Amino acid sequence: MFARSPRRLAAVLLASTVAVGVSLPVPAIAAPTDLADPSGGALDWIAGELDADGGYLTTSYQGDPNVQSFDDWGLTIDAILALAAVGRGDSDEAVDATGLVEANVDTYVTGGFDPTERYAGALAKALLMAQIQGGDPTDFGGLDLVEELLDRLQTA
C-alpha cells in the first residue's frame, strides 16, 4: 500500500540507497610517504630508462617491420625537462642525456631528413632545454638555436 505507484517506489528505493550509502564507512586513503618528492618513483624510472638506453630514449614501431626503433631526441628532451622540473637536472642521467642531445641536435631539428630544413617546434624545445640545463643556446651542438628560431618568425 505504501509504494503502489512506480514514482513512490523509485523515491523509496532512492532514499534507502542514499541512506545506506551515507552510513557506510569510507576507507582511508593512504598519504604519500614522501611528500617532498611525490613524483620520485616516476622520475627514478625515467632516469633508469635513460641509463638503460645508453643515455637517451628510443621509440619503436611494432607494426612496421621496416622500422624497428629510432633515437627519439624529442622524447629524450621531455625526460630531461621532467627531471629538471623537480630539481634533478644536474643528475648524471640528465647531464649525460643533455650532452647526447647537443651532439645530435642537428638531426633533431631537421627531423633527420633534409639537413637544410629546420622545424620551429624542435628548435624551441631544444632551446628551452639548453637554457634550463645551463647550455649556450646560441652555440648548442654547433647551432645558434635562438637565431634559427627567429629566422622562422613570420611577421605577416
Side-chain angles (χ1 to χ4, degrees):
M1 152 167 103
F2 176 72
R4 288 197 178 195
S5 77
R7 262 193 188 157
R8 277 192 186 177
L9 180 58
V12 168
L13 289 174
L14 179 61
S16 328
T17 304
V18 170
V20 169
V22 170
S23 66
L24 292 177
V26 177
I29 297 174
T33 56
D34 183 3
L35 296 177
D37 186 8
S39 59
L43 293 171
D44 289 344
W45 180 83
I46 289 172
E49 289 296 300
L50 285 169
D51 193 41
D53 281 346
Y56 60 93
L57 299 177
T58 59
T59 296
S60 61
Y61 293 110
Q62 295 176 0
D64 186 347
N66 299 318
V67 180
Q68 295 303 315
S69 69
F70 65 93
D71 303 340
D72 194 332
W73 300 113
L75 186 59
T76 301
I77 292 172
D78 292 340
I80 295 165
L81 292 174
L83 290 167
V86 295
R88 291 171 62 173
D90 61 350
S91 67
D92 290 342
E93 296 84 4
V95 170
D96 292 348
T98 300
L100 289 169
V101 170
E102 184 171 9
N104 292 280
V105 72
D106 55 337
T107 301
Y108 173 59
V109 300
T110 64
F113 303 110
D114 182 350
T116 63
E117 290 286 324
R118 300 281 194 269
Y119 297 108
L123 286 164
K125 191 171 173 179
L127 189 155
L128 174 67
M129 186 219 55
Q131 285 183 318
I132 287 174
Q133 288 298 96
D136 180 0
T138 64
D139 185 16
F140 191 78
L143 295 178
D144 184 342
L145 298 173
V146 175
E147 190 61 35
E148 294 271 358
L149 187 57
L150 288 173
D151 285 348
R152 271 124 202 98
L153 182 66
Q154 295 182 3
T155 58

